[in-house]
Amino acid sequence: MLNTFVMPDLYPAAPEIFLLLMSFVVLFADLIFGATQRRLAGRLTLMTLLGCAAITLFTTDGQASLTFSNMFVDDLLADLLKLLTYLAVAVTLIYGRQYLGDRKLDKGEFYLLVLYATLGMMVMISAASFLTLYLGLELMSLSLYALVAIDRDSPRATEAAMKYFVLGAMASGLLLYGMSMIYGATGTLEIGGIAQALLQGQTDKTILIFGLVFIVAGIAFKLGVVPFHMWIPDVYHGAPTAVTLFIGSAPKLAAYAMALRLLVYGLFSLAKEWQTMLLIMAVLSIGLGNLAAIAQTNIKRMLAYSAISHMGFMLLGLMAGVVGAEFDPFTAINAYSSALYYTVAYVLMSLGSFGMILLLSRAGYEAENLDDFKGLNQRSPWFAAIMLVFMLSMAGIPFFIGFFAKFAVLLAAVKAGHTVVAVVAVLFSLVGAFYYLRVVKLMYFDEPVDAAPISAPFDMKALLSINGIAVAAFGLFPDRIMAICTTVLLRSL
Amino acid sequence: MNSYLLSLAIWVPVLGALPVLALGSGRRNMVRWLALAVALAGFAVTLPLYIGFDVHQTGMQYVEQLPWIPRFNLQYMLGVDGISMPFVILNSFITVIVVIAGWDVIEEKQAQYMGAFLIMSGLVNGIFSALDGILFYVFFEASLIPMYIIIGVWGGPNRVYAAIKFFLYTLLGSLLMLVAMIWLFLEAGGSASILDWYRLPIGLTAQILLFIAFMLSFAVKVPMWPVHTWLPDAHVEAPTGGSVVLAAIALKQGAYGFLRFSLPILPDASHYLAPMVITLSLIAVVYIGFVALAQADMKKLVAYSSISHMGFVTLGFFIFNPLGMEGALVQMISHGFVAGAMFLCIGVMYDRMHSRQIADYGGVVNTMPKFAAFFMLFAMANSGLPATSGFVGEFMVVLGAVKFNFWIGFAAATTLILGAAYTLWMYKRVVFGAVANDHVAKLTDINAREFLFLAVLAICVLAMGLYPLPVTEVMHASVDNLLKHVAVSKLP
């Protein structure tokens, strides 16, 4: 057996393979032509993402196909999350192009690191084994650490990268430790196999719970929820805004996949245990994130704390899938899809609001303080309205996507019997409304301090406008995305 | 039967606001005329609601139903009965007045000003006609946004504080209402239709909790004592148009919420907690009446008088007899005209003097006789003089209250004295006497535009006072039906 090599079916992993190949193309193209054609690497990266999207779309067959000895899975959920990841990454690149160009950061390395981080996310999304998941996670994380530090001359960025790296490495360690416990108890690394082993119920529960705690801690770190949130504000603040935008969007999708694959696919038999852990973390995140965001004067930090609270909301949906002892698949699917919908909504809003910061920044000037938004309505009524949409959507005011995301999660939580938790969550979103409204106040009620005209490339302005309109339009008609989320989960679980 | 009138009432102003906003602030004349055209169109599409209304039918009319979010079984379901229909018309009518009132006065960003009012008008029509709980909530919440911007951008010196206070206060209440609605939604087996909620049996404890959640939301909006403190701030800081809409329309949303949600969905809790609501209402009527007496700022005075009048309305609802409830509804509409007109009058003076302090005025009648005559009429209506609309509602509620309990009626009737005292005393100090100072001496009387909107409102106030039947007639069947529904226990 040992010396027979079985060629794995490469077809399910076609997008990953394509991306890897293209990364070499980008590397060499940048090496050879980079000096004369500065925008080549960026264009090639966008084309790569487009190619990946095409491959993912054309290889979708609605079946879950396992490959690489059951370590890699290509199911509908993976396809959906990958498509969203490509979209988020592409939007990030377009929003960030001018910002990076102004700061001479748009070198080939940047695009390569983005591509590898994307590859890491894709592997995470498609992971069917603990090992694959860990591989993807590390590929993504290491690329992100480097990206945070890409502006080497900025002490703040370097400090943020250092913090991110140390804490991130520790979290990976925790995760790995937890995985080894589960492996010890069940004797397998395959997520499906673990679920089987747990169902038979012959494993030592103490070890399992012990491992579970570490796994949940690892997930919590990647999502950035309390009490594993410490890195978020520093990294969001310290990284160049284009990188913050990147960290704040696509990896959330991958982290959702990771949580779902590990907890729901793998450790579902321990749901009662992890449900309680998630509940506590969710409530703490919603509370602390919203309270701490009030005190911020830097909008990147403010959005960082708001990210913590949003991820808390997402966890609320994720934990609402299991109701006590009895298990109802429809309730569960609804809850997981509410969390998925929340993540998608959050990614859209996060892209837009960091995009706005990039829009207002220019060469030698970072528009990252709240005061930089003062009087935006007088400088550009259109973009003030777009930012209004993002902020109110994040606050959960209706007719924007954020409201229905919150609604779906609250519905799932109340259905799972957590009415009190829902009340606490909405009370904290009232606190949240305050700081989002403050941004609106700055834009509309105050006089501008910075009168420079807004200059940005056309494609960025157009995309930002589309982003804003999407947040509003999916708020008016949220049914389509919700239906997609539910269908995909129904057919992948 | 699908009718599109209510959709038109909602979406004509909202979509009409888009070209107004797109025009930008450069072309003032075009902006104003277009805004007026949109407001008039918005008003025109609501008139058929009245003309075609079947006064004998108790159920919902002009019902529209479309799937909105099938996954949650949420419907785009609209419809009005005799309780809500008059408010749709009132709201669209007030929007026209507000657009005219902001014609010359608003100099900065006029397009956004008009646009905000038009959007709000459409959203408010949505509040009054939504028959799906979540749809109601969505309109209820979304209508805060334009008001927040109106107060914050065109308001007075302390506008930021007032705007944020207004928003957060209202949001606090409505978020709890959202949880209550989600609970009802699940309890009703996944239906958010208000009509389904009417038939849902609920235990008393749950009813009381739900009642409190709904009440927090509506009480803030009404506003009832002790959660009224945002209103004086918001009124004082808001531009004239904002005050008019707040008083005439926004406050009615809370009262309407009681009728649409609290009473019919939670009848047992309503009876159980009625003494509390009645007490709070009486405190508002009497105590806030005294507070109004002590005000030095005219807008604040009218704001407190609004709270006092709205106390009358909630009182009328919770004494559970037809006279009280119908009286309360008439009072709501009348207050829409009267309070709106009072704020417009104060606005007229403020535009000339840039002061709202009573002490800065005196002898206005000498320089502005025409204005003084209008102001007199509205002041009298505000204090409930017979033959004005203010009298009809108050009288009916007092009669109903006396039937219910003599002392409650007695306490409520003090408003007739208090209301007259604070309004007329203010009127005397501002309008009569010798010309107080040079500024007053230089005042010019109202121009044709101001004459127009004051005259229209004066006609409404007098017409309703002399012949209220066209208004009460449409409400009658619905009010009877509601009271019958509330009398039946819903305990399982």
Side-chain angles (χ1 to χ4, degrees), chain B residues 296-338:
Chain B
D297 180 312
M298 286 188 275
K299 255 187 161 179
K300 250 192 173 142
L301 189 144
V302 181
Y304 280 111
S305 122
S306 283
I307 302 171
S308 169
H309 281 117
M310 290 309 286
F312 234 78
V313 171
T314 42
L315 175 69
F317 290 164
F318 281 84
I319 52 181
F320 303 108
N321 61 41
L323 213 51
M325 192 170 286
E326 238 167 83
L329 281 167
V330 172
Q331 168 82 341
M332 278 161 76
I333 294 178
S334 149
H335 179 259
F337 292 133
V338 177

Short mmCIF file of all heavy atoms in Angstrom, two decimals, chain B residues 296-338:
data_model
loop_
_atom_site.label_atom_id
_atom_site.label_comp_id
_atom_site.label_asym_id
_atom_site.label_seq_id
_atom_site.Cartn_x
_atom_site.Cartn_y
_atom_site.Cartn_z
N ALA B 296 -40.62 80.26 29.03
CA ALA B 296 -40.32 81.60 28.53
C ALA B 296 -40.10 81.55 27.01
O ALA B 296 -40.09 82.59 26.36
CB ALA B 296 -39.08 82.15 29.22
N ASP B 297 -39.91 80.36 26.48
CA ASP B 297 -39.65 80.19 25.06
C ASP B 297 -40.95 79.69 24.42
O ASP B 297 -41.55 78.72 24.87
CB ASP B 297 -38.53 79.14 24.90
CG ASP B 297 -38.19 78.89 23.45
OD1 ASP B 297 -39.12 78.68 22.65
OD2 ASP B 297 -36.99 78.87 23.11
N MET B 298 -41.40 80.37 23.36
CA MET B 298 -42.70 80.04 22.78
C MET B 298 -42.75 78.61 22.26
O MET B 298 -43.72 77.90 22.42
CB MET B 298 -43.02 81.00 21.64
CG MET B 298 -43.41 82.37 22.11
SD MET B 298 -43.97 83.34 20.70
CE MET B 298 -42.44 83.96 20.06
N LYS B 299 -41.66 78.19 21.59
CA LYS B 299 -41.67 76.85 21.02
C LYS B 299 -41.74 75.80 22.11
O LYS B 299 -42.42 74.79 21.98
CB LYS B 299 -40.41 76.64 20.18
CG LYS B 299 -40.69 76.69 18.69
CD LYS B 299 -39.45 76.31 17.93
CE LYS B 299 -39.77 75.90 16.52
NZ LYS B 299 -38.54 75.55 15.77
N LYS B 300 -41.01 76.05 23.18
CA LYS B 300 -41.03 75.11 24.30
C LYS B 300 -42.43 75.05 24.86
O LYS B 300 -42.92 73.98 25.21
CB LYS B 300 -40.05 75.56 25.38
CG LYS B 300 -38.88 74.63 25.45
CD LYS B 300 -38.04 74.85 26.67
CE LYS B 300 -37.00 73.76 26.72
NZ LYS B 300 -35.70 74.21 27.19
N LEU B 301 -43.07 76.20 24.95
CA LEU B 301 -44.42 76.23 25.50
C LEU B 301 -45.36 75.36 24.66
O LEU B 301 -46.10 74.53 25.19
CB LEU B 301 -44.92 77.68 25.54
CG LEU B 301 -46.23 77.91 26.27
CD1 LEU B 301 -46.18 79.24 27.00
CD2 LEU B 301 -47.42 77.89 25.33
N VAL B 302 -45.27 75.53 23.34
CA VAL B 302 -46.16 74.73 22.50
C VAL B 302 -45.76 73.26 22.57
O VAL B 302 -46.62 72.38 22.51
CB VAL B 302 -46.12 75.25 21.05
CG1 VAL B 302 -47.07 74.44 20.18
CG2 VAL B 302 -46.53 76.70 21.00
N ALA B 303 -44.46 72.99 22.72
CA ALA B 303 -44.03 71.60 22.84
C ALA B 303 -44.65 70.97 24.07
O ALA B 303 -45.21 69.86 23.99
CB ALA B 303 -42.51 71.54 22.92
N TYR B 304 -44.58 71.66 25.20
CA TYR B 304 -45.20 71.10 26.41
C TYR B 304 -46.70 70.99 26.25
O TYR B 304 -47.33 70.05 26.72
CB TYR B 304 -44.82 71.93 27.64
CG TYR B 304 -43.44 71.60 28.15
CD1 TYR B 304 -42.39 72.50 28.05
CD2 TYR B 304 -43.17 70.36 28.72
CE1 TYR B 304 -41.12 72.18 28.49
CE2 TYR B 304 -41.91 70.03 29.16
CZ TYR B 304 -40.88 70.95 29.05
OH TYR B 304 -39.63 70.61 29.48
N SER B 305 -47.28 71.96 25.57
CA SER B 305 -48.72 71.87 25.36
C SER B 305 -49.05 70.64 24.51
O SER B 305 -50.07 69.98 24.72
CB SER B 305 -49.23 73.17 24.75
OG SER B 305 -49.86 72.94 23.53
N SER B 306 -48.17 70.30 23.57
CA SER B 306 -48.38 69.09 22.78
C SER B 306 -48.39 67.86 23.67
O SER B 306 -49.23 66.97 23.51
CB SER B 306 -47.26 68.91 21.77
OG SER B 306 -47.44 69.77 20.70
N ILE B 307 -47.42 67.80 24.59
CA ILE B 307 -47.35 66.63 25.46
C ILE B 307 -48.65 66.54 26.26
O ILE B 307 -49.24 65.46 26.43
CB ILE B 307 -46.14 66.74 26.40
CG1 ILE B 307 -44.86 66.88 25.60
CG2 ILE B 307 -46.07 65.55 27.33
CD1 ILE B 307 -43.65 67.20 26.43
N SER B 308 -49.08 67.66 26.75
CA SER B 308 -50.31 67.68 27.54
C SER B 308 -51.51 67.21 26.70
O SER B 308 -52.32 66.41 27.14
CB SER B 308 -50.50 69.11 28.06
OG SER B 308 -51.76 69.26 28.62
N HIS B 309 -51.58 67.70 25.48
CA HIS B 309 -52.69 67.28 24.62
C HIS B 309 -52.62 65.81 24.28
O HIS B 309 -53.64 65.14 24.16
CB HIS B 309 -52.69 68.10 23.33
CG HIS B 309 -53.27 69.46 23.50
ND1 HIS B 309 -52.54 70.62 23.32
CD2 HIS B 309 -54.49 69.86 23.88
CE1 HIS B 309 -53.30 71.66 23.57
NE2 HIS B 309 -54.49 71.24 23.91
N MET B 310 -51.39 65.31 24.09
CA MET B 310 -51.27 63.90 23.76
C MET B 310 -51.63 63.04 24.97
O MET B 310 -52.06 61.90 24.83
CB MET B 310 -49.87 63.57 23.26
CG MET B 310 -49.53 64.14 21.89
SD MET B 310 -50.75 63.77 20.62
CE MET B 310 -50.41 62.05 20.32
N GLY B 311 -51.43 63.58 26.17
CA GLY B 311 -51.88 62.87 27.36
C GLY B 311 -53.38 62.63 27.30
O GLY B 311 -53.88 61.57 27.68
N PHE B 312 -54.07 63.60 26.78
CA PHE B 312 -55.49 63.48 26.56
C PHE B 312 -55.81 62.33 25.63
O PHE B 312 -56.78 61.60 25.83
CB PHE B 312 -55.95 64.77 25.89
CG PHE B 312 -57.05 65.41 26.63
CD1 PHE B 312 -56.78 66.11 27.78
CD2 PHE B 312 -58.34 65.29 26.20
CE1 PHE B 312 -57.80 66.69 28.48
CE2 PHE B 312 -59.35 65.87 26.89
CZ PHE B 312 -59.10 66.57 28.04
N VAL B 313 -55.00 62.20 24.62
CA VAL B 313 -55.24 61.15 23.63
C VAL B 313 -55.09 59.77 24.25
O VAL B 313 -55.97 58.92 24.13
CB VAL B 313 -54.28 61.32 22.43
CG1 VAL B 313 -54.37 60.13 21.51
CG2 VAL B 313 -54.58 62.61 21.70
N THR B 314 -53.97 59.56 24.97
CA THR B 314 -53.77 58.23 25.56
C THR B 314 -54.85 57.97 26.62
O THR B 314 -55.30 56.84 26.78
CB THR B 314 -52.37 58.09 26.18
OG1 THR B 314 -52.06 59.30 26.88
CG2 THR B 314 -51.34 57.86 25.11
N LEU B 315 -55.24 59.01 27.32
CA LEU B 315 -56.33 58.85 28.27
C LEU B 315 -57.58 58.34 27.55
O LEU B 315 -58.22 57.38 27.99
CB LEU B 315 -56.61 60.18 28.96
CG LEU B 315 -57.82 60.20 29.90
CD1 LEU B 315 -57.52 59.34 31.11
CD2 LEU B 315 -58.17 61.60 30.32
N GLY B 316 -57.90 58.98 26.45
CA GLY B 316 -59.09 58.58 25.69
C GLY B 316 -59.05 57.13 25.26
O GLY B 316 -60.06 56.45 25.25
N PHE B 317 -57.85 56.64 24.92
CA PHE B 317 -57.76 55.24 24.47
C PHE B 317 -58.05 54.27 25.60
O PHE B 317 -58.67 53.24 25.39
CB PHE B 317 -56.34 54.94 23.96
CG PHE B 317 -56.00 55.61 22.68
CD1 PHE B 317 -54.68 55.71 22.26
CD2 PHE B 317 -56.99 56.16 21.87
CE1 PHE B 317 -54.35 56.32 21.07
CE2 PHE B 317 -56.66 56.77 20.69
CZ PHE B 317 -55.34 56.86 20.29
N PHE B 318 -57.53 54.58 26.78
CA PHE B 318 -57.53 53.56 27.83
C PHE B 318 -58.72 53.65 28.78
O PHE B 318 -58.71 53.03 29.82
CB PHE B 318 -56.19 53.59 28.58
CG PHE B 318 -55.12 52.88 27.82
CD1 PHE B 318 -54.39 53.53 26.83
CD2 PHE B 318 -54.85 51.54 28.06
CE1 PHE B 318 -53.43 52.86 26.10
CE2 PHE B 318 -53.89 50.88 27.34
CZ PHE B 318 -53.17 51.53 26.36
N ILE B 319 -59.74 54.46 28.43
CA ILE B 319 -60.95 54.37 29.21
C ILE B 319 -61.97 53.47 28.51
O ILE B 319 -63.06 53.25 29.01
CB ILE B 319 -61.56 55.76 29.49
CG1 ILE B 319 -61.72 56.53 28.20
CG2 ILE B 319 -60.67 56.54 30.45
CD1 ILE B 319 -62.27 57.91 28.38
N PHE B 320 -61.58 52.95 27.36
CA PHE B 320 -62.35 51.91 26.67
C PHE B 320 -63.81 52.24 26.47
O PHE B 320 -64.67 51.43 26.73
CB PHE B 320 -62.23 50.56 27.41
CG PHE B 320 -60.82 50.11 27.57
CD1 PHE B 320 -60.20 50.14 28.81
CD2 PHE B 320 -60.11 49.67 26.48
CE1 PHE B 320 -58.90 49.74 28.96
CE2 PHE B 320 -58.80 49.25 26.63
CZ PHE B 320 -58.20 49.29 27.87
N ASN B 321 -64.14 53.44 26.07
CA ASN B 321 -65.49 53.63 25.56
C ASN B 321 -65.44 54.43 24.27
O ASN B 321 -64.48 55.16 24.01
CB ASN B 321 -66.44 54.22 26.61
CG ASN B 321 -66.01 55.58 27.08
OD1 ASN B 321 -65.58 56.41 26.30
ND2 ASN B 321 -66.12 55.81 28.38
N PRO B 322 -66.47 54.26 23.43
CA PRO B 322 -66.40 54.81 22.08
C PRO B 322 -66.19 56.32 22.08
O PRO B 322 -65.44 56.86 21.26
CB PRO B 322 -67.74 54.45 21.45
CG PRO B 322 -68.50 53.68 22.44
CD PRO B 322 -67.69 53.48 23.66
N LEU B 323 -66.84 56.98 23.04
CA LEU B 323 -66.72 58.43 23.09
C LEU B 323 -65.26 58.84 23.31
O LEU B 323 -64.72 59.71 22.63
CB LEU B 323 -67.60 58.94 24.24
CG LEU B 323 -68.24 60.28 24.04
CD1 LEU B 323 -68.97 60.33 22.72
CD2 LEU B 323 -69.21 60.55 25.20
N GLY B 324 -64.64 58.17 24.29
CA GLY B 324 -63.26 58.51 24.62
C GLY B 324 -62.34 58.24 23.45
O GLY B 324 -61.49 59.06 23.08
N MET B 325 -62.51 57.08 22.82
CA MET B 325 -61.58 56.72 21.77
C MET B 325 -61.76 57.59 20.53
O MET B 325 -60.78 58.07 19.95
CB MET B 325 -61.75 55.25 21.42
CG MET B 325 -60.62 54.74 20.55
SD MET B 325 -60.66 52.99 20.39
CE MET B 325 -60.10 52.46 21.99
N GLU B 326 -63.03 57.81 20.18
CA GLU B 326 -63.25 58.65 19.01
C GLU B 326 -62.77 60.08 19.28
O GLU B 326 -62.18 60.73 18.43
CB GLU B 326 -64.73 58.64 18.64
CG GLU B 326 -64.96 58.16 17.23
CD GLU B 326 -66.42 57.86 16.99
OE1 GLU B 326 -67.16 58.80 16.70
OE2 GLU B 326 -66.81 56.68 17.10
N GLY B 327 -63.07 60.52 20.51
CA GLY B 327 -62.61 61.85 20.89
C GLY B 327 -61.09 61.96 20.78
O GLY B 327 -60.55 62.94 20.27
N ALA B 328 -60.41 60.90 21.24
CA ALA B 328 -58.95 60.92 21.18
C ALA B 328 -58.48 61.00 19.74
O ALA B 328 -57.52 61.74 19.43
CB ALA B 328 -58.40 59.68 21.85
N LEU B 329 -59.16 60.27 18.85
CA LEU B 329 -58.74 60.30 17.44
C LEU B 329 -58.98 61.69 16.84
O LEU B 329 -58.12 62.21 16.12
CB LEU B 329 -59.49 59.23 16.65
CG LEU B 329 -58.94 57.82 16.83
CD1 LEU B 329 -59.91 56.81 16.29
CD2 LEU B 329 -57.61 57.70 16.12
N VAL B 330 -60.13 62.27 17.15
CA VAL B 330 -60.40 63.62 16.66
C VAL B 330 -59.36 64.59 17.20
O VAL B 330 -58.83 65.45 16.48
CB VAL B 330 -61.83 64.06 17.07
CG1 VAL B 330 -62.04 65.51 16.73
CG2 VAL B 330 -62.85 63.18 16.39
N GLN B 331 -59.05 64.39 18.47
CA GLN B 331 -58.04 65.25 19.10
C GLN B 331 -56.70 65.12 18.38
O GLN B 331 -56.00 66.10 18.18
CB GLN B 331 -57.92 64.84 20.57
CG GLN B 331 -56.73 65.41 21.30
CD GLN B 331 -57.01 66.82 21.78
OE1 GLN B 331 -57.92 67.48 21.29
NE2 GLN B 331 -56.25 67.28 22.73
N MET B 332 -56.36 63.89 17.97
CA MET B 332 -55.09 63.69 17.28
C MET B 332 -55.05 64.49 15.98
O MET B 332 -54.07 65.15 15.65
CB MET B 332 -54.88 62.21 16.96
CG MET B 332 -54.34 61.41 18.13
SD MET B 332 -54.62 59.65 17.93
CE MET B 332 -53.37 59.23 16.73
N ILE B 333 -56.15 64.41 15.24
CA ILE B 333 -56.15 65.12 13.95
C ILE B 333 -56.18 66.62 14.17
O ILE B 333 -55.42 67.38 13.56
CB ILE B 333 -57.35 64.65 13.11
CG1 ILE B 333 -57.13 63.19 12.76
CG2 ILE B 333 -57.50 65.49 11.86
CD1 ILE B 333 -58.25 62.59 11.99
N SER B 334 -57.02 67.02 15.10
CA SER B 334 -57.12 68.44 15.39
C SER B 334 -55.76 68.98 15.86
O SER B 334 -55.31 70.04 15.44
CB SER B 334 -58.18 68.66 16.45
OG SER B 334 -57.86 69.76 17.24
N HIS B 335 -55.12 68.21 16.72
CA HIS B 335 -53.81 68.65 17.22
C HIS B 335 -52.82 68.75 16.08
O HIS B 335 -51.95 69.62 16.09
CB HIS B 335 -53.33 67.66 18.28
CG HIS B 335 -52.00 68.00 18.84
ND1 HIS B 335 -50.85 67.37 18.45
CD2 HIS B 335 -51.62 68.94 19.73
CE1 HIS B 335 -49.83 67.89 19.10
NE2 HIS B 335 -50.27 68.83 19.89
N GLY B 336 -52.98 67.88 15.09
CA GLY B 336 -52.11 67.98 13.91
C GLY B 336 -52.24 69.34 13.26
O GLY B 336 -51.23 69.99 12.93
N PHE B 337 -53.46 69.80 13.08
CA PHE B 337 -53.66 71.12 12.47
C PHE B 337 -53.20 72.24 13.41
O PHE B 337 -52.47 73.15 13.02
CB PHE B 337 -55.14 71.34 12.14
CG PHE B 337 -55.65 70.44 11.04
CD1 PHE B 337 -56.83 69.76 11.19
CD2 PHE B 337 -54.94 70.30 9.86
CE1 PHE B 337 -57.32 68.94 10.18
CE2 PHE B 337 -55.41 69.48 8.85
CZ PHE B 337 -56.60 68.80 9.01
N VAL B 338 -53.67 72.14 14.67
CA VAL B 338 -53.48 73.27 15.59
C VAL B 338 -52.01 73.43 15.97
O VAL B 338 -51.44 74.52 15.87
CB VAL B 338 -54.36 73.11 16.83
CG1 VAL B 338 -54.10 74.23 17.80
CG2 VAL B 338 -55.82 73.07 16.43
#
